[in-house]
Amino acid sequence: MYPAMDDAGEFEIIEETREEKTMRNWMNSLGATPRVKYIYEDLKDGLAILQLFDKIKPGCVDWQKRVNTPPFKALGGKMKQIENCNYAIELGKELSFVLVGIDGNNLHDGDKLTLALVWQMMRFYTLQLITHDGKVLKDNEIIAWCNEKITGAGKDSNFSNFKDASLANSRAIVDLIEAIRPGHINYDLLTAASNDEEKFLNAKYAITMARKIGARIFALPEDIADVNPKMMMTVFACIMSVGFAKDQMK
């Protein structure tokens, strides 16, 4: 053992799931300050969550009367942080989030239930991008709109739901992009998606092209290749938002 080096056993290696990484990237993309590096530890004082609520529903946070800000003193500081977390749960319920059995202590303690809140915030944000005449669209309406666009472009990659196994080849995603922005997809770059590697390559290409037309995609290629229904919804909704914007310009 070298005298100037710490014992390697003192270092903690933090594993991050795909879902945690996706949600952390989403939070940082909206400007969480300071940046979220570890989704549980960095949310325990409630401030990043409250910042995000103010992003997805501007003006909903009462920063003057309801939010406790640092520095948090050793005596009473924990309670101030939990108050922030409880306020975040309150805001979620005001937006009709399903938060049964979740309170500020769960957020402060880094409970896995934190993901339930963050996911619903991400879903709320995504659906706001495609609000039509003040109405938030449901999943079946998103699917119907996408299928109509795909069929209208002469493609046959329609899908029945966000769990549809056919989505694993990314064909419906690139066909929707092509329907919205004709000429953007180079179909020669798509694989037959006959194995996991080819599905991944197609998904990576689909995400790249979606972002090139202005869609704010937070899903990872693995989410598409594995047909993660929650993330599939966000992918199609974000591409749909680009189509909405284009239709409104006509």
Side-chain angles (χ1 to χ4, degrees), residues 15-77:
E15 296 287 339
E16 185 178 40
T17 68
R18 185 195 310 167
E19 186 176 29
E20 290 164 356
K21 180 179 179 180
T22 299
M23 293 185 185
R24 180 173 58 81
N25 288 342
W26 171 72
M27 289 187 283
N28 288 329
S29 75
L30 291 189
T33 305
R35 289 181 63 82
V36 177
K37 297 179 180 178
Y38 180 50
I39 196 168
Y40 302 109
E41 182 65 25
D42 294 346
L43 302 184
K44 66 185 303 178
D45 63 6
L47 292 175
I49 289 287
L50 293 172
Q51 289 177 36
L52 292 169
F53 267 115
D54 219 16
K55 295 284 187 180
I56 68 174
K57 185 72 173 178
C60 75
V61 178
D62 187 342
W63 292 100
Q64 296 297 320
K65 297 180 180 179
R66 297 295 306 276
V67 181
N68 302 310
T69 56
F72 295 106
K73 298 179 180 179
L75 183 62

Side-chain angles (χ1 to χ4, degrees), residues 1-8 10-11:
M1 191 72 184
Y2 293 96
M5 294 181 66
D6 294 327
D7 185 347
E10 296 178 2
F11 290 92

Side-chain angles (χ1 to χ4, degrees), residues 73-105:
K73 298 179 180 179
L75 183 62
K78 177 179 177 179
M79 290 305 302
K80 293 293 185 182
Q81 293 179 13
I82 293 176
E83 285 177 4
N84 286 347
C85 293
N86 278 324
Y87 183 36
I89 297 296
E90 180 183 322
L91 291 173
K93 290 179 178 179
E94 289 177 4
L95 296 181
S96 300
F97 292 179
V98 178
L99 298 169
V100 179
I102 306 177
D103 62 20
N105 286 292

